[in-house]
Structures are given as C-alpha cells and as structure tokens.
C-alpha cells in the first residue's frame, strides 16, 4: 500500500515536471519567435530605407534640370515666393517631376510640376495650406530666396530638394543633396547670408538609423 502511494507520488511529480518543462520550452519558443520577428522587421525596414535611397539617387541622376532651374521655370509660370522644390515621383506613377510650391501674393498656394528633362511646366494646381502666416513670418527680413539657396547647396552635390524650415528658433532653408555614389547629405542655408552648413541633427539621425 505504501509502495503504491510512493509510485503514485513519483508519477505525479514526473507529470508535473514534464508539464513545467513543456511550458518552459513553449515560452522559450515564443520568445525566440518574437525576437526573430523583430529582427526580420528591422531587416525589412533597413532594406526599405536602402531602396528609398537608391530610388532617390536614380531620380537625381536622371534629372537634367537643376533645382534652381526648376524654381525659375515655376516662377515664370506662377509669380510669387517659392517655399519648396522637390524631385519626386508624381502621384506614385513612377514619372519623376520637380514639384515646386509657390505662395502667391494673395496667399494662394500653387503646386507647379516641372519636367526635369527640359524645364517645361507640366501643370499646376492650387493647394490648401494652414501655415501661410508662419511661412510669411519666417521669410520676413530674409534676403536669400529658395532659388539662391538651391544654387548655394549645389556646390555640395546634386540638389534633390530645398525647403523652408519655419519651425523653431533658427529658421533656414534646408536642402538635400546626393553625390554620384548615392550618398545623401542634408544642409542648412542661412536666410540672410546664404551660408551653407551641414545639418548635424539629421546626420546624427541617419547614423542612428544605419546602426539599427
């Protein structure tokens, strides 16, 4: 009788122990799967970033019209103040164009599309923006236009975008350039002196993304 009780106890312990081991093993598998999924997602994100950079480099290489020329062409079509110009896909159709945002004297925003091959205006449309007053305030007293900022940044590489940074204390033009190898660099252009300096904050962010 006592022997049967002992055997029963040992069997129960073995079952409990096995169940625990199974539970631990299952938990370990779940954690491993989670880590693997996270690693896969990071790898995918990194690859997506690289693909985007390759696409940007290809767009820059295919453009015969520079950023400053695109801006000049847009202003001939629509008078006003250029706030940004970007070489990008048009509505994700795969066709590359210069998109130039012009703020006219009556505070109407115009998005002007310029052919990067010959500088011809392909069309324009009016946009609704809610930061008109902020843009006007940032540009008040400035002497460097978007076109001049693009020309200044062109000494650092092929300019793929120029944009007004109206946020924060130190307002400036921001430009992105690419070199023949596809290396991307961000720059700040002073609104009054036209001095070009490296955008350290964006450079640090890019380094952090590369490390991830």
């Amino acid at each position: 009788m006592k022997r049967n009780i002992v055997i029963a106890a040992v069997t129960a312990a073995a079952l409990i122990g096995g169940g625990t081991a199974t539970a631990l093993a299952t938990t370990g598998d779940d954690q491993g799967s989670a880590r693997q999924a996270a690693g896969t997602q990071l790898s995918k994100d990194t690859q997506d970033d690289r693909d985007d950079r390759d696409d940007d480099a290809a767009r820059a290489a295919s453009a015969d019209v520079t950023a400053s020329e695109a801006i000049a062409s847009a202003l001939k079509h629509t008078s006003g103040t250029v706030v940004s110009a970007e070489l990008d896909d048009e509505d994700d159709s795969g066709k590359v164009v210069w998109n130039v945002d012009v703020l006219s004297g009556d505070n109407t925003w115009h998005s002007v599309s310029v052919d990067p091959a010959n500088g011809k205006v392909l069309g324009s449309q009016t946009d609704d923006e809610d930061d008109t007053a902020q843009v006007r305030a940032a540009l008040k007293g400035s002497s460097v236009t978007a076109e001049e900022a693009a020309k200044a940044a062109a000494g650092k590489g092929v300019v793929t975008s120029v944009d007004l940074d109206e946020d924060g204390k130190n307002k400036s033009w921001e430009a992105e350039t690419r070199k023949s190898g596809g290396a991307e660099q961000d720059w700040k252009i002073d609104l009054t002196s036209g001095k070009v300096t490296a955008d350290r904050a964006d450079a640090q962010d890019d380094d952090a993304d590369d490390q991830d």
Side-chain angles (χ1 to χ4, degrees), residues 64 68 74 111 117 130 158 204:
D64 295 324
S68 59
S111 179
D130 57 4
V158 178
Q204 291 172 357

Side-chain angles (χ1 to χ4, degrees), residues 40-60 87-89 96 176 178 181-184 209-210:
T40 301
Q41 183 61 43
L42 286 173
S43 298
K44 184 179 183 302
D45 291 343
T46 300
Q47 186 60 48
D48 288 345
D49 289 341
R50 290 173 180 170
D51 290 342
D52 288 342
R53 292 174 184 177
D54 290 342
D55 290 343
D56 290 343
R59 283 195 289 267
L87 187 64
D88 202 358
D89 294 344
V96 178
E176 181 180 283
R178 288 191 174 275
E184 175 186 321
D209 291 340
D210 290 339

